[in-house]
Amino acid sequence: MKQANAYLATIMLALVAGLGGNVPALAAATQAAPIRYDAARRVFRIDAGKVTYAFGVNADGELQTLYWGSRLMAGDPLPVAVPPAPRSSFDPVGADTPQEYAGWGGPITVMPDLKVHFADGNRDLVLRYDSYRIDDGKLQVMLHDRRAGIDVMLNYSVDAATGIIGRSARIENHASQAVTLDRAASASWNLPPATDYSLRYLTGTWASEWHVRTRPLTPGATELESRRGSTGDENNPWFAIERGAQWNESHGRVWFGALAWSGSWSIHVDQDVLNQVRVTGGYDPFDFSYRLEPGQGLDTPVFYAGYTDDGIGEASRLMHQFERDRILPAHGHPKLRPVLYNSWEATGFKVNEAEQERLAGKAAALGVERFVVDDGWFGARNSDHAGLGDWTVNREKFPHGLKPLIDKVHALGMSFGLWVEPEMVNPDSDLYRRHPDWVLNFKGRPRSLGRNQLVLNLARDDVSQYVFQVLDELLSRNDIQFLKWDYNRNWSEPGWPQQAPDRQQQVYVTYVRHLYDIIRRLRERHPGLEIESCSGGGARVDLGIMGLTDEVWPSDNTDPSDRLSIQDGFTYAYAPAVMMAWVTGSPNWVNGRSSSLDFRFLSAMQGGLGIGADILKWTPAEDAVARRYIAAYKDIRATVQLGRLYRLLSPQGHAPRSATESVAIDGRQAVLFAFLRQGQDAQAYPTLYLQGLDETARYRYRLIHGKAAAGTPAVASGAYWMHHGIDLELRNDMDAAAAVFERIGTAGNVRR
């Protein structure tokens, strides 16, 4: 009884403080409080969505994970925190404790979150619990090593709808000497001990991104990381861990998470000798060093994670909802992606006012809503060898500047967008000739080129201010609604000669912080501006850059068959609401594969629809097909972009078939896409069983393209479409179909 009273008293005090002493609101707030602390048992508990997360303070003062899984009842007891018993002299008490945030010191053998060395040579750091604060639905827990003078503030946020928790750390030096951080993670996530876990993650390379990989977890470690200075496409900072052999899209326990950071990063997955699984993520420790003088601090990125027992499909849908509601700049009110035309494939670097106006006129006639001029409009930019960094309009190509073209585009009823790559510079540019010291470099060492360009060091205040000023001026002088922000190479020679040697490696953090600040300031100065994150395709897609941009470019590979796999993999971690997909020419420039305009449109309509083909070469018949699909897309795009996505047939591993279904948030519409890359042995296409419908409602279906089997009813219940399914007649190579299901009433109330 005393424990219960102490528990309730703690809640009451925290809530009164948070509500400013508003006692009448206390009862309701107590019921809804997602974060609670049991002072008697020293247990923190978070309840949100369908998830409970709990950790406690053990006898050694360590924060120890207690539970992370399906939501428990309010009265269900949680154990107090007790470190694992010692096994031998090699594994003493504390060595294998599943800590929330561990310093490297004492007997620890688990992967630490924080590793430091002091100016006097000490490298021992033992973090102990000090205090906590609950305020406005967020939790802060203070750890410290009092003797070493290091404080770590752990920050917890929680999304009530999805149960996804965000965690980060602030590390402060309160010692009398400098300390250097050798490793600084955002958080560690601890899973229950088991031997039947498997890890899912995403790998890729240019034009072949977003491959879904699965491997069993066994004792040892798996390191997912980017050492490239940016997010990278070799790995993406997302993970999913499933338990048991029966998991699939709709069944199984899944723990999942993603790191909100656009620089070098690491997610370390470790199974220890006790079969405990630990996922530690944050700054990549490779080449990392961050020096803190007395009184200085460092904030880590946010590491988000969630749980579901409804399979990997539900894990994806929770992530999609969380990104739309909590990550994207619109914060729960994302704008629908307009149908876009990009001029790159039509013109390359041979951009000029007259040709762009012709393309704009044709695009508007097709129903396009946004016209984007790609590379080649500025400086001496006639190839990728020159001009980057000189963000002034090329007056030979645009004699009167961009205004006449922009006015033309607006008069046609479209918004105007422009391609930029502001973080890069060509050696053959006025900017580089003036400031050769502005790039990442090691003094006296060679400077490696990538795509004939170097990386500007945005960590420098003067460089970041220059980039902001030239973009601000470009946007101030021209009525531009959209920037396609590109980034076309990895880092090399990541030196910062203007800094002292023991501070140069801070470039990994400061560069990205300045990048975020530039984009944030531009959006504040130019309300309504929308930005796409592009990096040679999908090499900079993460929750950090997504919080500042409106859409992302998953891949430069626009082959519609390859795109089925690319887009499928993308959706494991990221929402269709941000995924741009283009209809380009046939044969495709990547692989020479030919495909019908129907197949290309239907493939691209699964995300934000764009067109990149040379539309001036389209025939009247092709124009008519394009107009029909664009009109059809506008009718379904809210469902496709913002609805709940179900992956019905996976195209991963070069599988011949792919099918997806999107269900509108209000349940009134569902959209089905089906593809056959390659017919095999005259086999019929598998029956497709819809998901996410109301079993008692009636749905009328119509085809956008393709043919359904004879006898398919025009109207049937949700139960029929989900349990009986629908058969589509797809038999030929590169064949596709799409259907729309509209809810028209309940079983006893059908509108005709």
Side-chain angles (χ1 to χ4, degrees), residues 375 377-381 385-392 419-435 438-439 452-454 456 463 466-467 470-471:
D375 200 351
W377 59 269
F378 56 93
R381 191 67 167 172
H385 286 74
L388 274 182
D390 301 336
W391 299 105
T392 56
W419 179 94
V420 294
E421 192 174 3
E423 300 163 71
M424 302 290 170
V425 64
N426 288 125
D428 185 4
S429 67
D430 293 339
L431 179 65
Y432 187 78
R433 284 184 281 271
R434 290 195 308 268
H435 299 288
W438 275 17
V439 300
N452 306 301
Q453 61 198 49
L454 297 164
L456 289 171
V463 176
Y466 166 81
V467 170
V470 294
L471 292 176

mmCIF file of all heavy atoms in Angstrom, residues 375 377-381 385-392 419-435 438-439 452-454 456 463 466-467 470-471:
data_model
loop_
_atom_site.group_PDB
_atom_site.id
_atom_site.type_symbol
_atom_site.label_atom_id
_atom_site.label_comp_id
_atom_site.label_asym_id
_atom_site.label_seq_id
_atom_site.Cartn_x
_atom_site.Cartn_y
_atom_site.Cartn_z
ATOM 1 N N ASP A 375 19.489 20.738 -63.943
ATOM 2 C CA ASP A 375 20.861 21.226 -64.047
ATOM 3 C C ASP A 375 21.100 21.962 -65.371
ATOM 4 O O ASP A 375 20.511 21.634 -66.391
ATOM 5 C CB ASP A 375 21.806 20.023 -63.943
ATOM 6 C CG ASP A 375 23.218 20.399 -63.556
ATOM 7 O OD1 ASP A 375 23.528 21.605 -63.521
ATOM 8 O OD2 ASP A 375 24.007 19.475 -63.294
ATOM 9 N N TRP A 377 21.241 25.609 -65.774
ATOM 10 C CA TRP A 377 20.662 26.953 -65.919
ATOM 11 C C TRP A 377 21.578 28.070 -65.417
ATOM 12 O O TRP A 377 21.279 29.256 -65.604
ATOM 13 C CB TRP A 377 19.334 27.036 -65.157
ATOM 14 C CG TRP A 377 19.458 26.750 -63.677
ATOM 15 C CD1 TRP A 377 19.326 25.551 -63.063
ATOM 16 C CD2 TRP A 377 19.763 27.698 -62.647
ATOM 17 N NE1 TRP A 377 19.524 25.668 -61.711
ATOM 18 C CE2 TRP A 377 19.786 26.981 -61.427
ATOM 19 C CE3 TRP A 377 20.004 29.070 -62.626
ATOM 20 C CZ2 TRP A 377 20.059 27.598 -60.210
ATOM 21 C CZ3 TRP A 377 20.275 29.695 -61.412
ATOM 22 C CH2 TRP A 377 20.296 28.958 -60.218
ATOM 23 N N PHE A 378 22.713 27.759 -64.819
ATOM 24 C CA PHE A 378 23.511 28.739 -64.078
ATOM 25 C C PHE A 378 24.973 28.732 -64.549
ATOM 26 O O PHE A 378 25.469 27.759 -65.126
ATOM 27 C CB PHE A 378 23.474 28.425 -62.577
ATOM 28 C CG PHE A 378 23.946 27.023 -62.268
ATOM 29 C CD1 PHE A 378 25.267 26.771 -61.957
ATOM 30 C CD2 PHE A 378 23.066 25.950 -62.326
ATOM 31 C CE1 PHE A 378 25.704 25.479 -61.692
ATOM 32 C CE2 PHE A 378 23.489 24.662 -62.064
ATOM 33 C CZ PHE A 378 24.814 24.422 -61.751
ATOM 34 N N GLY A 379 25.685 29.814 -64.233
ATOM 35 C CA GLY A 379 27.127 29.891 -64.449
ATOM 36 C C GLY A 379 27.559 29.416 -65.816
ATOM 37 O O GLY A 379 26.869 29.578 -66.817
ATOM 38 N N ALA A 380 28.746 28.798 -65.855
ATOM 39 C CA ALA A 380 29.290 28.219 -67.089
ATOM 40 C C ALA A 380 28.956 26.735 -67.139
ATOM 41 O O ALA A 380 29.813 25.899 -67.444
ATOM 42 C CB ALA A 380 30.800 28.437 -67.154
ATOM 43 N N ARG A 381 27.721 26.407 -66.870
ATOM 44 C CA ARG A 381 27.309 25.018 -66.668
ATOM 45 C C ARG A 381 26.827 24.407 -67.979
ATOM 46 O O ARG A 381 25.617 24.293 -68.221
ATOM 47 C CB ARG A 381 26.205 24.976 -65.617
ATOM 48 C CG ARG A 381 25.863 23.573 -65.126
ATOM 49 C CD ARG A 381 26.964 22.933 -64.344
ATOM 50 N NE ARG A 381 26.503 21.743 -63.641
ATOM 51 C CZ ARG A 381 27.281 20.891 -63.002
ATOM 52 N NH1 ARG A 381 28.589 21.110 -62.974
ATOM 53 N NH2 ARG A 381 26.787 19.835 -62.392
ATOM 54 N N HIS A 385 31.549 19.459 -65.646
ATOM 55 C CA HIS A 385 32.942 19.817 -65.359
ATOM 56 C C HIS A 385 33.085 21.229 -64.808
ATOM 57 O O HIS A 385 34.170 21.583 -64.325
ATOM 58 C CB HIS A 385 33.802 19.680 -66.612
ATOM 59 C CG HIS A 385 34.088 18.270 -66.997
ATOM 60 N ND1 HIS A 385 33.148 17.450 -67.573
ATOM 61 C CD2 HIS A 385 35.219 17.522 -66.870
ATOM 62 C CE1 HIS A 385 33.674 16.256 -67.800
ATOM 63 N NE2 HIS A 385 34.924 16.271 -67.372
ATOM 64 N N ALA A 386 32.055 22.064 -64.903
ATOM 65 C CA ALA A 386 32.237 23.472 -64.558
ATOM 66 C C ALA A 386 30.953 24.068 -64.002
ATOM 67 O O ALA A 386 29.845 23.572 -64.249
ATOM 68 C CB ALA A 386 32.676 24.264 -65.794
ATOM 69 N N GLY A 387 31.115 25.143 -63.250
ATOM 70 C CA GLY A 387 30.005 26.001 -62.874
ATOM 71 C C GLY A 387 29.426 25.812 -61.497
ATOM 72 O O GLY A 387 28.809 26.740 -60.964
ATOM 73 N N LEU A 388 29.575 24.618 -60.892
ATOM 74 C CA LEU A 388 29.009 24.438 -59.553
ATOM 75 C C LEU A 388 29.625 25.445 -58.587
ATOM 76 O O LEU A 388 30.843 25.597 -58.521
ATOM 77 C CB LEU A 388 29.255 23.023 -59.041
ATOM 78 C CG LEU A 388 28.256 21.936 -59.414
ATOM 79 C CD1 LEU A 388 28.646 20.620 -58.767
ATOM 80 C CD2 LEU A 388 26.836 22.300 -59.033
ATOM 81 N N GLY A 389 28.772 26.088 -57.819
ATOM 82 C CA GLY A 389 29.197 27.127 -56.892
ATOM 83 C C GLY A 389 28.862 28.514 -57.372
ATOM 84 O O GLY A 389 28.787 29.451 -56.572
ATOM 85 N N ASP A 390 28.650 28.673 -58.688
ATOM 86 C CA ASP A 390 28.350 29.989 -59.266
ATOM 87 C C ASP A 390 26.854 30.075 -59.541
ATOM 88 O O ASP A 390 26.385 29.832 -60.661
ATOM 89 C CB ASP A 390 29.144 30.200 -60.563
ATOM 90 C CG ASP A 390 30.645 30.112 -60.351
ATOM 91 O OD1 ASP A 390 31.097 30.339 -59.209
ATOM 92 O OD2 ASP A 390 31.363 29.804 -61.315
ATOM 93 N N TRP A 391 26.083 30.410 -58.521
ATOM 94 C CA TRP A 391 24.627 30.334 -58.612
ATOM 95 C C TRP A 391 24.021 31.630 -59.141
ATOM 96 O O TRP A 391 23.193 32.271 -58.497
ATOM 97 C CB TRP A 391 24.046 29.935 -57.254
ATOM 98 C CG TRP A 391 24.549 28.588 -56.841
ATOM 99 C CD1 TRP A 391 25.482 28.303 -55.893
ATOM 100 C CD2 TRP A 391 24.177 27.340 -57.428
ATOM 101 N NE1 TRP A 391 25.713 26.954 -55.833
ATOM 102 C CE2 TRP A 391 24.932 26.340 -56.769
ATOM 103 C CE3 TRP A 391 23.293 26.965 -58.428
ATOM 104 C CZ2 TRP A 391 24.816 24.994 -57.089
ATOM 105 C CZ3 TRP A 391 23.175 25.628 -58.753
ATOM 106 C CH2 TRP A 391 23.928 24.661 -58.083
ATOM 107 N N THR A 392 24.454 31.991 -60.352
ATOM 108 C CA THR A 392 23.882 33.115 -61.083
ATOM 109 C C THR A 392 23.349 32.606 -62.410
ATOM 110 O O THR A 392 23.913 31.686 -63.013
ATOM 111 C CB THR A 392 24.933 34.204 -61.328
ATOM 112 O OG1 THR A 392 26.063 33.636 -62.006
ATOM 113 C CG2 THR A 392 25.384 34.828 -60.008
ATOM 114 N N TRP A 419 16.553 23.106 -59.909
ATOM 115 C CA TRP A 419 17.574 22.198 -59.388
ATOM 116 C C TRP A 419 18.747 23.002 -58.846
ATOM 117 O O TRP A 419 19.218 23.961 -59.473
ATOM 118 C CB TRP A 419 18.058 21.287 -60.511
ATOM 119 C CG TRP A 419 19.136 20.299 -60.139
ATOM 120 C CD1 TRP A 419 18.972 19.011 -59.751
ATOM 121 C CD2 TRP A 419 20.558 20.528 -60.168
ATOM 122 N NE1 TRP A 419 20.187 18.411 -59.528
ATOM 123 C CE2 TRP A 419 21.184 19.319 -59.775
ATOM 124 C CE3 TRP A 419 21.356 21.624 -60.479
ATOM 125 C CZ2 TRP A 419 22.568 19.180 -59.690
ATOM 126 C CZ3 TRP A 419 22.747 21.502 -60.375
ATOM 127 C CH2 TRP A 419 23.330 20.282 -59.990
ATOM 128 N N VAL A 420 19.243 22.611 -57.669
ATOM 129 C CA VAL A 420 20.455 23.209 -57.102
ATOM 130 C C VAL A 420 21.293 22.108 -56.456
ATOM 131 O O VAL A 420 20.782 21.070 -56.050
ATOM 132 C CB VAL A 420 20.133 24.306 -56.052
ATOM 133 C CG1 VAL A 420 19.459 25.501 -56.696
ATOM 134 C CG2 VAL A 420 19.276 23.742 -54.921
ATOM 135 N N GLU A 421 22.578 22.358 -56.373
ATOM 136 C CA GLU A 421 23.492 21.477 -55.635
ATOM 137 C C GLU A 421 24.453 22.352 -54.837
ATOM 138 O O GLU A 421 25.639 22.455 -55.142
ATOM 139 C CB GLU A 421 24.254 20.548 -56.589
ATOM 140 C CG GLU A 421 24.973 19.439 -55.853
ATOM 141 C CD GLU A 421 25.628 18.413 -56.775
ATOM 142 O OE1 GLU A 421 25.573 18.589 -58.006
ATOM 143 O OE2 GLU A 421 26.205 17.441 -56.252
ATOM 144 N N PRO A 422 23.959 23.000 -53.795
ATOM 145 C CA PRO A 422 24.702 24.088 -53.149
ATOM 146 C C PRO A 422 25.853 23.662 -52.258
ATOM 147 O O PRO A 422 26.642 24.520 -51.851
ATOM 148 C CB PRO A 422 23.618 24.798 -52.335
ATOM 149 C CG PRO A 422 22.584 23.767 -52.093
ATOM 150 C CD PRO A 422 22.594 22.870 -53.280
ATOM 151 N N GLU A 423 25.975 22.374 -51.951
ATOM 152 C CA GLU A 423 27.064 21.931 -51.070
ATOM 153 C C GLU A 423 28.325 21.574 -51.837
ATOM 154 O O GLU A 423 29.313 21.158 -51.218
ATOM 155 C CB GLU A 423 26.600 20.719 -50.256
ATOM 156 C CG GLU A 423 25.403 20.986 -49.367
ATOM 157 C CD GLU A 423 24.737 19.710 -48.900
ATOM 158 O OE1 GLU A 423 25.328 19.006 -48.059
ATOM 159 O OE2 GLU A 423 23.629 19.418 -49.399
ATOM 160 N N MET A 424 28.303 21.742 -53.155
ATOM 161 C CA MET A 424 29.403 21.282 -53.996
ATOM 162 C C MET A 424 29.998 22.435 -54.803
ATOM 163 O O MET A 424 29.366 23.483 -54.990
ATOM 164 C CB MET A 424 28.906 20.197 -54.951
ATOM 165 C CG MET A 424 28.287 18.995 -54.255
ATOM 166 S SD MET A 424 29.524 18.014 -53.368
ATOM 167 C CE MET A 424 28.466 16.902 -52.448
ATOM 168 N N VAL A 425 31.207 22.203 -55.326
ATOM 169 C CA VAL A 425 31.870 23.191 -56.167
ATOM 170 C C VAL A 425 32.745 22.470 -57.189
ATOM 171 O O VAL A 425 33.374 21.451 -56.876
ATOM 172 C CB VAL A 425 32.715 24.163 -55.312
ATOM 173 C CG1 VAL A 425 33.861 23.442 -54.606
ATOM 174 C CG2 VAL A 425 33.234 25.325 -56.144
ATOM 175 N N ASN A 426 32.727 22.960 -58.431
ATOM 176 C CA ASN A 426 33.692 22.496 -59.433
ATOM 177 C C ASN A 426 34.983 23.274 -59.280
ATOM 178 O O ASN A 426 34.945 24.500 -59.066
ATOM 179 C CB ASN A 426 33.167 22.718 -60.857
ATOM 180 C CG ASN A 426 32.041 21.789 -61.240
ATOM 181 O OD1 ASN A 426 30.971 22.237 -61.646
ATOM 182 N ND2 ASN A 426 32.273 20.495 -61.142
ATOM 183 N N PRO A 427 36.142 22.620 -59.418
ATOM 184 C CA PRO A 427 37.381 23.400 -59.477
ATOM 185 C C PRO A 427 37.358 24.448 -60.588
ATOM 186 O O PRO A 427 37.958 25.516 -60.445
ATOM 187 C CB PRO A 427 38.447 22.324 -59.725
ATOM 188 C CG PRO A 427 37.866 21.087 -59.112
ATOM 189 C CD PRO A 427 36.399 21.177 -59.379
ATOM 190 N N ASP A 428 36.649 24.130 -61.685
ATOM 191 C CA ASP A 428 36.476 25.111 -62.759
ATOM 192 C C ASP A 428 35.230 25.943 -62.463
ATOM 193 O O ASP A 428 34.154 25.747 -63.028
ATOM 194 C CB ASP A 428 36.335 24.398 -64.108
ATOM 195 C CG ASP A 428 36.268 25.378 -65.282
ATOM 196 O OD1 ASP A 428 36.401 26.598 -65.049
ATOM 197 O OD2 ASP A 428 36.079 24.921 -66.425
ATOM 198 N N SER A 429 35.380 26.869 -61.519
ATOM 199 C CA SER A 429 34.293 27.776 -61.144
ATOM 200 C C SER A 429 34.900 29.034 -60.557
ATOM 201 O O SER A 429 36.014 29.024 -60.021
ATOM 202 C CB SER A 429 33.360 27.126 -60.117
ATOM 203 O OG SER A 429 34.027 26.936 -58.882
ATOM 204 N N ASP A 430 34.168 30.112 -60.636
ATOM 205 C CA ASP A 430 34.647 31.363 -60.046
ATOM 206 C C ASP A 430 34.778 31.229 -58.536
ATOM 207 O O ASP A 430 35.706 31.772 -57.933
ATOM 208 C CB ASP A 430 33.685 32.506 -60.399
ATOM 209 C CG ASP A 430 33.682 32.832 -61.887
ATOM 210 O OD1 ASP A 430 34.672 32.491 -62.573
ATOM 211 O OD2 ASP A 430 32.688 33.420 -62.355
ATOM 212 N N LEU A 431 33.841 30.510 -57.919
ATOM 213 C CA LEU A 431 33.884 30.368 -56.465
ATOM 214 C C LEU A 431 35.163 29.665 -56.021
ATOM 215 O O LEU A 431 35.828 30.110 -55.076
ATOM 216 C CB LEU A 431 32.660 29.587 -55.974
ATOM 217 C CG LEU A 431 32.607 29.349 -54.462
ATOM 218 C CD1 LEU A 431 32.455 30.665 -53.712
ATOM 219 C CD2 LEU A 431 31.472 28.395 -54.083
ATOM 220 N N TYR A 432 35.515 28.572 -56.682
ATOM 221 C CA TYR A 432 36.712 27.830 -56.272
ATOM 222 C C TYR A 432 37.978 28.642 -56.534
ATOM 223 O O TYR A 432 38.933 28.590 -55.742
ATOM 224 C CB TYR A 432 36.786 26.494 -56.995
ATOM 225 C CG TYR A 432 37.901 25.601 -56.496
ATOM 226 C CD1 TYR A 432 37.760 24.897 -55.304
ATOM 227 C CD2 TYR A 432 39.095 25.476 -57.202
ATOM 228 C CE1 TYR A 432 38.775 24.084 -54.831
ATOM 229 C CE2 TYR A 432 40.119 24.662 -56.737
ATOM 230 C CZ TYR A 432 39.951 23.974 -55.546
ATOM 231 O OH TYR A 432 40.972 23.176 -55.093
ATOM 232 N N ARG A 433 37.986 29.369 -57.637
ATOM 233 C CA ARG A 433 39.169 30.186 -57.921
ATOM 234 C C ARG A 433 39.350 31.264 -56.855
ATOM 235 O O ARG A 433 40.483 31.620 -56.515
ATOM 236 C CB ARG A 433 39.062 30.792 -59.321
ATOM 237 C CG ARG A 433 39.347 29.785 -60.439
ATOM 238 C CD ARG A 433 39.334 30.417 -61.817
ATOM 239 N NE ARG A 433 37.972 30.626 -62.315
ATOM 240 C CZ ARG A 433 37.299 29.718 -63.015
ATOM 241 N NH1 ARG A 433 37.864 28.548 -63.297
ATOM 242 N NH2 ARG A 433 36.081 29.970 -63.444
ATOM 243 N N ARG A 434 38.249 31.763 -56.299
ATOM 244 C CA ARG A 434 38.345 32.762 -55.233
ATOM 245 C C ARG A 434 38.664 32.129 -53.884
ATOM 246 O O ARG A 434 39.373 32.714 -53.065
ATOM 247 C CB ARG A 434 37.029 33.546 -55.109
ATOM 248 C CG ARG A 434 36.724 34.481 -56.251
ATOM 249 C CD ARG A 434 35.618 35.481 -55.872
ATOM 250 N NE ARG A 434 34.425 34.841 -55.340
ATOM 251 C CZ ARG A 434 33.381 34.476 -56.080
ATOM 252 N NH1 ARG A 434 33.406 34.664 -57.400
ATOM 253 N NH2 ARG A 434 32.325 33.923 -55.525
ATOM 254 N N HIS A 435 38.111 30.920 -53.636
ATOM 255 C CA HIS A 435 38.210 30.325 -52.300
ATOM 256 C C HIS A 435 38.582 28.842 -52.379
ATOM 257 O O HIS A 435 37.784 27.970 -51.999
ATOM 258 C CB HIS A 435 36.880 30.472 -51.562
ATOM 259 C CG HIS A 435 36.445 31.875 -51.346
ATOM 260 N ND1 HIS A 435 37.049 32.718 -50.445
ATOM 261 C CD2 HIS A 435 35.443 32.602 -51.935
ATOM 262 C CE1 HIS A 435 36.451 33.895 -50.452
ATOM 263 N NE2 HIS A 435 35.480 33.852 -51.361
ATOM 264 N N TRP A 438 37.925 26.624 -49.265
ATOM 265 C CA TRP A 438 36.585 26.406 -48.728
ATOM 266 C C TRP A 438 36.116 24.954 -48.801
ATOM 267 O O TRP A 438 35.028 24.642 -48.325
ATOM 268 C CB TRP A 438 35.588 27.294 -49.489
ATOM 269 C CG TRP A 438 35.508 28.696 -48.922
ATOM 270 C CD1 TRP A 438 36.394 29.301 -48.093
ATOM 271 C CD2 TRP A 438 34.468 29.647 -49.160
ATOM 272 N NE1 TRP A 438 36.000 30.576 -47.794
ATOM 273 C CE2 TRP A 438 34.815 30.820 -48.440
ATOM 274 C CE3 TRP A 438 33.307 29.643 -49.922
ATOM 275 C CZ2 TRP A 438 34.015 31.957 -48.448
ATOM 276 C CZ3 TRP A 438 32.510 30.779 -49.929
ATOM 277 C CH2 TRP A 438 32.851 31.929 -49.202
ATOM 278 N N VAL A 439 36.903 24.081 -49.374
ATOM 279 C CA VAL A 439 36.471 22.687 -49.522
ATOM 280 C C VAL A 439 37.068 21.824 -48.415
ATOM 281 O O VAL A 439 38.060 22.193 -47.774
ATOM 282 C CB VAL A 439 36.865 22.114 -50.898
ATOM 283 C CG1 VAL A 439 36.228 22.919 -52.019
ATOM 284 C CG2 VAL A 439 38.381 22.069 -51.066
ATOM 285 N N ASN A 452 33.564 15.256 -60.905
ATOM 286 C CA ASN A 452 34.306 16.481 -61.226
ATOM 287 C C ASN A 452 34.039 17.606 -60.228
ATOM 288 O O ASN A 452 34.128 18.786 -60.578
ATOM 289 C CB ASN A 452 33.961 16.964 -62.644
ATOM 290 C CG ASN A 452 34.168 15.896 -63.693
ATOM 291 O OD1 ASN A 452 35.274 15.390 -63.855
ATOM 292 N ND2 ASN A 452 33.099 15.517 -64.381
ATOM 293 N N GLN A 453 33.758 17.251 -58.988
ATOM 294 C CA GLN A 453 33.443 18.274 -58.002
ATOM 295 C C GLN A 453 34.020 17.923 -56.643
ATOM 296 O O GLN A 453 34.374 16.771 -56.366
ATOM 297 C CB GLN A 453 31.929 18.482 -57.910
ATOM 298 C CG GLN A 453 31.135 17.260 -57.474
ATOM 299 C CD GLN A 453 29.649 17.364 -57.809
ATOM 300 O OE1 GLN A 453 29.275 17.692 -58.937
ATOM 301 N NE2 GLN A 453 28.803 17.088 -56.831
ATOM 302 N N LEU A 454 34.108 18.942 -55.791
ATOM 303 C CA LEU A 454 34.582 18.826 -54.425
ATOM 304 C C LEU A 454 33.458 19.235 -53.477
ATOM 305 O O LEU A 454 32.493 19.891 -53.885
ATOM 306 C CB LEU A 454 35.803 19.723 -54.203
ATOM 307 C CG LEU A 454 37.047 19.374 -55.036
ATOM 308 C CD1 LEU A 454 38.035 20.533 -55.032
ATOM 309 C CD2 LEU A 454 37.708 18.109 -54.503
ATOM 310 N N LEU A 456 32.085 21.421 -50.495
ATOM 311 C CA LEU A 456 32.288 22.617 -49.684
ATOM 312 C C LEU A 456 32.190 22.249 -48.205
ATOM 313 O O LEU A 456 31.351 21.442 -47.814
ATOM 314 C CB LEU A 456 31.240 23.674 -50.013
ATOM 315 C CG LEU A 456 31.357 24.364 -51.373
ATOM 316 C CD1 LEU A 456 30.111 25.219 -51.630
ATOM 317 C CD2 LEU A 456 32.611 25.223 -51.453
ATOM 318 N N VAL A 463 31.520 29.628 -45.020
ATOM 319 C CA VAL A 463 30.988 28.839 -46.128
ATOM 320 C C VAL A 463 29.477 28.643 -45.973
ATOM 321 O O VAL A 463 28.713 28.824 -46.928
ATOM 322 C CB VAL A 463 31.706 27.480 -46.229
ATOM 323 C CG1 VAL A 463 31.070 26.620 -47.322
ATOM 324 C CG2 VAL A 463 33.189 27.683 -46.524
ATOM 325 N N TYR A 466 27.714 31.802 -46.790
ATOM 326 C CA TYR A 466 27.691 32.052 -48.233
ATOM 327 C C TYR A 466 26.588 31.233 -48.904
ATOM 328 O O TYR A 466 25.823 31.761 -49.720
ATOM 329 C CB TYR A 466 29.047 31.709 -48.857
ATOM 330 C CG TYR A 466 29.004 31.631 -50.368
ATOM 331 C CD1 TYR A 466 29.064 32.776 -51.138
ATOM 332 C CD2 TYR A 466 28.871 30.401 -51.024
ATOM 333 C CE1 TYR A 466 29.006 32.721 -52.535
ATOM 334 C CE2 TYR A 466 28.807 30.331 -52.410
ATOM 335 C CZ TYR A 466 28.872 31.487 -53.150
ATOM 336 O OH TYR A 466 28.803 31.414 -54.527
ATOM 337 N N VAL A 467 26.523 29.956 -48.572
ATOM 338 C CA VAL A 467 25.514 29.095 -49.194
ATOM 339 C C VAL A 467 24.114 29.611 -48.875
ATOM 340 O O VAL A 467 23.241 29.683 -49.761
ATOM 341 C CB VAL A 467 25.682 27.637 -48.723
ATOM 342 C CG1 VAL A 467 24.496 26.781 -49.170
ATOM 343 C CG2 VAL A 467 26.983 27.062 -49.271
ATOM 344 N N VAL A 470 23.459 32.972 -51.008
ATOM 345 C CA VAL A 470 23.222 32.860 -52.449
ATOM 346 C C VAL A 470 21.861 32.222 -52.720
ATOM 347 O O VAL A 470 21.162 32.605 -53.672
ATOM 348 C CB VAL A 470 24.345 32.085 -53.170
ATOM 349 C CG1 VAL A 470 25.653 32.849 -53.106
ATOM 350 C CG2 VAL A 470 24.506 30.676 -52.626
ATOM 351 N N LEU A 471 21.461 31.263 -51.884
ATOM 352 C CA LEU A 471 20.146 30.662 -52.065
ATOM 353 C C LEU A 471 19.040 31.629 -51.667
ATOM 354 O O LEU A 471 17.991 31.713 -52.334
ATOM 355 C CB LEU A 471 20.039 29.367 -51.263
ATOM 356 C CG LEU A 471 20.925 28.214 -51.744
ATOM 357 C CD1 LEU A 471 20.799 27.026 -50.798
ATOM 358 C CD2 LEU A 471 20.573 27.797 -53.161
#
